[in-house]
């Protein structure tokens, strides 16, 4: 548009100058009136007067035309040049992405809320909603101390839950599932939001936590092959991620949780069949996942500090406490993330994985790899995967046949500074349930 306007201005100015040049040449080119030309008693000959009048009329018309041309040039110049007086084009308003904090009886929710408020770029774009179960007075007081900075919701049903005898020790998981169901209904049905990022009260967020989810919301909305965005890398321990790739994102078939974004449309799909307990493992079942993927980062944007909870610290001491939290701000909203589109990603990912040289487990374990990588370490069964994963220090469990952080059966991690793809043989088609 700017080039078109500048061309128009140039052409107008050129025509203006050219016409004046032609007019001057015409006047100069008139033959001079000879002295032998006879003059009448009343003055110069009549043909000279006619020429003068004709040129005067033409000149007056030309001045009027040139005035119009100059006005057009001036108008286009005002459009072309930046001006504070011009009406400005306003961008479409950004949708709010609320943060739902699931809380119960941990006063350490303060650490979670402090970090959220520290890194939050806008209260209007990211309202913080704390949903509290358990009726724990001390935790409620901590939440209330934040005043209008957060919205404090209290789960009203604190009744006991009857479970079958063999699940008595798992009663906490039933209460958590009930709480999630109520809280998500509050966000989507009562408050009317179209998306939400869910964190639990024992998570600390990275400086670019909000930037990350803001950038990926359009992808989640537009790509039906996606159903969540997570801030978490299950194998994101120090030494197992590339510290120079804070901007690297993946598709994963495994539902990671631990700071994740959900759309209202997906909640409307899940809500009628929401489980009584173990909601996260239920999310990983093929009936819910439906071959959809999540986005996850190379370096986690959340860190869990909650060793105590209903899981009794499962995985915490061995894995979770060592997860590397990103510390630099990546401007995700300004990056080209089109590589995450399903067909593009699948083609490029498989090409990189299966063009990488195959190496032996012993060479990876003993650090005897030659070259910068990446390398492919091939497994042939669940048992061989578990054996190699456990000995290499990555998480070795499966949920509904899917390894943690896996995509099409492949788990990516760093080992002694080299990229390793723990992968099934070429031609992989589906997970073994």
């Amino acid at each position: 548009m700017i080039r078109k306007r500048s061309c128009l201005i140039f052409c107008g100015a050129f025509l203006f100058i050219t016409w004046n040049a032609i007019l001057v040449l015409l006047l100069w080119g008139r033959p001079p009136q000879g002295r032998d030309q006879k003059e009448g008693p009343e003055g110069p000959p009549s043909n000279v007067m006619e020429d003068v009048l004709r040129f005067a009329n033409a000149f007056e018309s030309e001045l009027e035309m040139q005035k119009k041309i100059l006005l057009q040039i001036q108008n286009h110049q005002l459009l072309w040049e930046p001006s504070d007086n011009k009406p400005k084009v306003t961008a479409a308003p950004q949708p709010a992405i609320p943060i739902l904090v699931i809380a119960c009886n941990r006063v350490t929710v303060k650490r979670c809320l402090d970090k959220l408020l520290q890194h939050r770029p806008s209260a209007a774009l990211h309202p913080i909603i704390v949903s509290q179960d358990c009726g724990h007075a001390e935790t409620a007081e901590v939440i209330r101390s934040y005043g209008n900075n957060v919205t404090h919701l209290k789960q009203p049903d604190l009744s006991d839950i009857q479970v079958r005898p063999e699940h008595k020790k798992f009663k906490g998981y039933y209460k958590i599932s009930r709480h999630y169901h109520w809280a998500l209904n509050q966000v989507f049905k009562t408050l009317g939001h179209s998306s939400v990022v869910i964190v639990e009260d024992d998570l600390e967020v990275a400086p670019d936590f909000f930037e990350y989810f803001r950038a990926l919301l359009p992808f989640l909305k537009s790509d039906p092959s996606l159903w969540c965005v997570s801030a978490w890398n299950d194998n994101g321990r120090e030494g197992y991620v590339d510290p120079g790739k804070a901007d690297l994102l993946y598709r994963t078939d495994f539902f990671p949780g631990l700071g994740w974004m959900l759309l209202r449309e997906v909640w409307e799909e899940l809500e009628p069949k929401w489980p009584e307990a173990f909601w996260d493992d239920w999310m990983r079942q093929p009936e819910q996942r439906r071959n959809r993927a999540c986005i996850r980062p190379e370096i986690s944007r959340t860190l869990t500090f909650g060793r105590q909870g209903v899981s009794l610290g499962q995985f915490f001491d061995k894995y979770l406490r060592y997860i590397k939290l990103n510390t630099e701000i990546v401007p995700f909203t300004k990056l080209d993330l089109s590589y995450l589109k399903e067909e593009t990603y699948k083609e490029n990912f498989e090409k990189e994985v299966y063009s990488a040289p195959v190496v032996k487990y012993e060479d990876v374990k003993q650090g005897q790899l030659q070259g910068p990588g990446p390398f492919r370490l091939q497994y042939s069964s669940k048992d061989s995967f578990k054996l190699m994963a456990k000995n290499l220090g990555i998480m070795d469990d499966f949920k509904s046949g899917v390894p943690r952080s896996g995509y099409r059966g492949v788990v990516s991690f760093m080992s002694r500074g080299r990229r390793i793809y723990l992968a099934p043989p070429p031609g992989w088609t589906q997970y073994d349930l």
Side-chain angles (χ1 to χ4, degrees), residues 9 13 24 30 32 75 83 99 144 158 177 207 217 220 278 291 301 307 318 330 354 380 393 395 401:
I9 294 168
V24 170
R30 275 187 58 82
N75 289 337
S83 171
I99 311 300
R144 277 196 297 270
L158 303 181
S177 190
L217 178 61
L220 188 59
F278 310 108
N291 291 320
R301 264 61 186 186
R307 187 181 187 280
K318 189 173 182 180
V330 176
Y354 290 102
S380 57
M395 298 191 78

Short mmCIF file of all heavy atoms in Angstrom, two decimals, residues 9 13 24 30 32 75 83 99 144 158 177 207 217 220 278 291 301 307 318 330 354 380 393 395 401:
data_model
loop_
_atom_site.label_atom_id
_atom_site.label_comp_id
_atom_site.label_asym_id
_atom_site.label_seq_id
_atom_site.Cartn_x
_atom_site.Cartn_y
_atom_site.Cartn_z
N ILE A 9 2.08 9.73 -5.74
CA ILE A 9 2.62 11.05 -5.42
C ILE A 9 3.69 11.45 -6.43
O ILE A 9 3.70 12.57 -6.95
CB ILE A 9 3.20 11.05 -4.00
CG1 ILE A 9 2.08 10.85 -2.98
CG2 ILE A 9 3.95 12.34 -3.71
CD1 ILE A 9 2.57 10.56 -1.59
N ALA A 13 3.43 14.66 -9.12
CA ALA A 13 4.45 15.72 -9.16
C ALA A 13 5.10 15.81 -10.53
O ALA A 13 5.36 16.90 -11.06
CB ALA A 13 5.49 15.46 -8.08
N VAL A 24 5.74 26.62 -20.92
CA VAL A 24 6.83 27.58 -21.10
C VAL A 24 7.43 27.47 -22.49
O VAL A 24 7.70 28.47 -23.18
CB VAL A 24 7.90 27.38 -20.02
CG1 VAL A 24 9.16 28.20 -20.34
CG2 VAL A 24 7.36 27.78 -18.66
N ARG A 30 6.74 30.85 -29.72
CA ARG A 30 5.95 31.71 -30.60
C ARG A 30 6.88 32.58 -31.44
O ARG A 30 7.84 33.15 -30.92
CB ARG A 30 5.02 32.61 -29.79
CG ARG A 30 3.71 31.94 -29.42
CD ARG A 30 2.78 32.97 -28.76
NE ARG A 30 2.54 34.10 -29.63
CZ ARG A 30 1.63 34.11 -30.61
NH1 ARG A 30 0.91 33.04 -30.85
NH2 ARG A 30 1.46 35.20 -31.35
N PRO A 32 8.38 35.82 -33.07
CA PRO A 32 8.29 37.22 -32.60
C PRO A 32 7.50 38.08 -33.58
O PRO A 32 7.54 37.85 -34.79
CB PRO A 32 9.76 37.64 -32.51
CG PRO A 32 10.48 36.74 -33.44
CD PRO A 32 9.75 35.44 -33.44
N ASN A 75 -3.20 15.21 -0.25
CA ASN A 75 -4.03 14.23 0.45
C ASN A 75 -3.35 12.87 0.52
O ASN A 75 -3.35 12.21 1.56
CB ASN A 75 -5.40 14.10 -0.23
CG ASN A 75 -6.26 15.33 -0.02
OD1 ASN A 75 -6.06 16.08 0.93
ND2 ASN A 75 -7.20 15.56 -0.93
N SER A 83 1.34 10.15 10.90
CA SER A 83 0.86 11.37 11.54
C SER A 83 0.05 11.01 12.76
O SER A 83 -0.76 10.09 12.75
CB SER A 83 -0.01 12.16 10.56
OG SER A 83 -0.64 13.23 11.23
N ILE A 99 -6.25 -18.02 34.58
CA ILE A 99 -5.43 -19.05 35.22
C ILE A 99 -6.25 -19.62 36.38
O ILE A 99 -6.63 -18.87 37.29
CB ILE A 99 -4.11 -18.48 35.75
CG1 ILE A 99 -3.40 -17.64 34.67
CG2 ILE A 99 -3.22 -19.60 36.26
CD1 ILE A 99 -3.06 -18.39 33.41
N ARG A 144 -7.11 -15.17 50.74
CA ARG A 144 -7.82 -13.91 50.97
C ARG A 144 -6.86 -12.73 51.07
O ARG A 144 -7.21 -11.59 50.77
CB ARG A 144 -8.65 -14.00 52.25
CG ARG A 144 -10.02 -14.65 52.05
CD ARG A 144 -10.93 -14.36 53.24
NE ARG A 144 -10.43 -14.93 54.49
CZ ARG A 144 -10.72 -16.15 54.93
NH1 ARG A 144 -11.54 -16.91 54.22
NH2 ARG A 144 -10.22 -16.59 56.06
N LEU A 158 -18.18 -30.44 50.49
CA LEU A 158 -17.06 -31.00 51.26
C LEU A 158 -17.43 -32.34 51.90
O LEU A 158 -16.73 -32.82 52.80
CB LEU A 158 -16.63 -30.01 52.34
CG LEU A 158 -16.22 -28.61 51.85
CD1 LEU A 158 -15.80 -27.75 53.04
CD2 LEU A 158 -15.11 -28.70 50.81
N SER A 177 -10.88 -35.24 41.73
CA SER A 177 -11.66 -35.30 40.49
C SER A 177 -12.97 -34.53 40.63
O SER A 177 -13.38 -33.81 39.71
CB SER A 177 -11.93 -36.76 40.12
OG SER A 177 -12.48 -36.86 38.84
N PRO A 207 9.20 -17.22 33.82
CA PRO A 207 8.94 -15.82 33.43
C PRO A 207 8.12 -15.67 32.15
O PRO A 207 7.38 -14.70 32.01
CB PRO A 207 10.35 -15.24 33.26
CG PRO A 207 11.22 -16.09 34.13
CD PRO A 207 10.64 -17.46 34.07
N LEU A 217 -2.41 -20.32 21.96
CA LEU A 217 -3.87 -20.37 21.94
C LEU A 217 -4.43 -20.45 20.52
O LEU A 217 -5.32 -21.26 20.25
CB LEU A 217 -4.45 -19.18 22.70
CG LEU A 217 -5.99 -19.08 22.71
CD1 LEU A 217 -6.61 -20.29 23.38
CD2 LEU A 217 -6.44 -17.78 23.39
N LEU A 220 -4.13 -24.00 19.20
CA LEU A 220 -5.05 -24.92 19.85
C LEU A 220 -6.47 -24.75 19.30
O LEU A 220 -7.20 -25.73 19.12
CB LEU A 220 -5.03 -24.68 21.36
CG LEU A 220 -5.79 -25.68 22.24
CD1 LEU A 220 -5.27 -27.09 22.04
CD2 LEU A 220 -5.70 -25.27 23.70
N PHE A 278 -8.92 -40.37 39.46
CA PHE A 278 -7.78 -40.56 38.55
C PHE A 278 -8.02 -39.87 37.21
O PHE A 278 -7.85 -40.45 36.14
CB PHE A 278 -7.50 -42.05 38.35
CG PHE A 278 -7.39 -42.84 39.62
CD1 PHE A 278 -8.39 -43.74 39.99
CD2 PHE A 278 -6.31 -42.67 40.48
CE1 PHE A 278 -8.31 -44.46 41.16
CE2 PHE A 278 -6.22 -43.39 41.67
CZ PHE A 278 -7.22 -44.28 42.01
N ASN A 291 -6.54 -39.83 19.36
CA ASN A 291 -5.41 -39.60 18.46
C ASN A 291 -5.01 -38.12 18.35
O ASN A 291 -4.31 -37.73 17.41
CB ASN A 291 -5.69 -40.16 17.06
CG ASN A 291 -5.74 -41.66 17.05
OD1 ASN A 291 -4.94 -42.33 17.72
ND2 ASN A 291 -6.67 -42.24 16.31
N ARG A 301 7.99 -24.92 31.62
CA ARG A 301 7.58 -23.60 32.09
C ARG A 301 6.89 -23.68 33.44
O ARG A 301 6.38 -22.68 33.94
CB ARG A 301 6.66 -22.95 31.06
CG ARG A 301 7.39 -22.01 30.10
CD ARG A 301 8.45 -22.68 29.27
NE ARG A 301 9.21 -21.70 28.48
CZ ARG A 301 10.12 -22.02 27.59
NH1 ARG A 301 10.42 -23.29 27.36
NH2 ARG A 301 10.78 -21.08 26.93
N ARG A 307 6.10 -31.97 47.36
CA ARG A 307 6.41 -33.38 47.62
C ARG A 307 5.27 -34.08 48.34
O ARG A 307 4.98 -35.26 48.11
CB ARG A 307 7.69 -33.49 48.47
CG ARG A 307 8.17 -34.92 48.65
CD ARG A 307 9.43 -34.97 49.52
NE ARG A 307 9.96 -36.33 49.54
CZ ARG A 307 9.48 -37.32 50.29
NH1 ARG A 307 8.44 -37.09 51.10
NH2 ARG A 307 10.01 -38.52 50.26
N LYS A 318 12.93 -38.79 42.72
CA LYS A 318 13.78 -39.33 41.66
C LYS A 318 13.78 -38.45 40.41
O LYS A 318 14.80 -38.33 39.72
CB LYS A 318 13.34 -40.75 41.30
CG LYS A 318 14.31 -41.46 40.36
CD LYS A 318 13.93 -42.92 40.17
CE LYS A 318 14.93 -43.64 39.27
NZ LYS A 318 14.57 -45.06 39.06
N VAL A 330 11.28 -16.11 26.25
CA VAL A 330 11.24 -16.37 24.81
C VAL A 330 10.02 -15.65 24.24
O VAL A 330 8.90 -15.88 24.70
CB VAL A 330 11.17 -17.87 24.52
CG1 VAL A 330 11.04 -18.13 23.02
CG2 VAL A 330 12.39 -18.60 25.08
N TYR A 354 14.44 -40.86 11.77
CA TYR A 354 14.81 -42.09 11.06
C TYR A 354 15.94 -41.89 10.06
O TYR A 354 16.37 -42.86 9.42
CB TYR A 354 13.58 -42.71 10.42
CG TYR A 354 12.66 -43.27 11.50
CD1 TYR A 354 11.52 -42.59 11.90
CD2 TYR A 354 12.98 -44.46 12.15
CE1 TYR A 354 10.71 -43.08 12.92
CE2 TYR A 354 12.18 -44.96 13.17
CZ TYR A 354 11.05 -44.26 13.55
OH TYR A 354 10.25 -44.76 14.56
N SER A 380 12.50 -52.48 20.70
CA SER A 380 11.67 -53.42 19.94
C SER A 380 10.40 -53.81 20.67
O SER A 380 9.51 -54.42 20.08
CB SER A 380 12.47 -54.68 19.60
OG SER A 380 12.97 -55.28 20.79
N GLY A 393 18.04 -43.02 32.69
CA GLY A 393 17.59 -41.97 33.60
C GLY A 393 16.35 -41.21 33.17
O GLY A 393 16.04 -40.17 33.77
N MET A 395 12.03 -41.28 32.36
CA MET A 395 10.87 -41.97 32.93
C MET A 395 10.49 -43.15 32.04
O MET A 395 10.43 -43.02 30.81
CB MET A 395 9.71 -41.00 33.10
CG MET A 395 10.05 -39.85 34.06
SD MET A 395 8.64 -38.84 34.55
CE MET A 395 7.88 -39.90 35.78
N GLY A 401 -0.41 -47.29 26.91
CA GLY A 401 0.51 -47.66 25.85
C GLY A 401 1.43 -46.55 25.39
O GLY A 401 2.30 -46.79 24.55
#
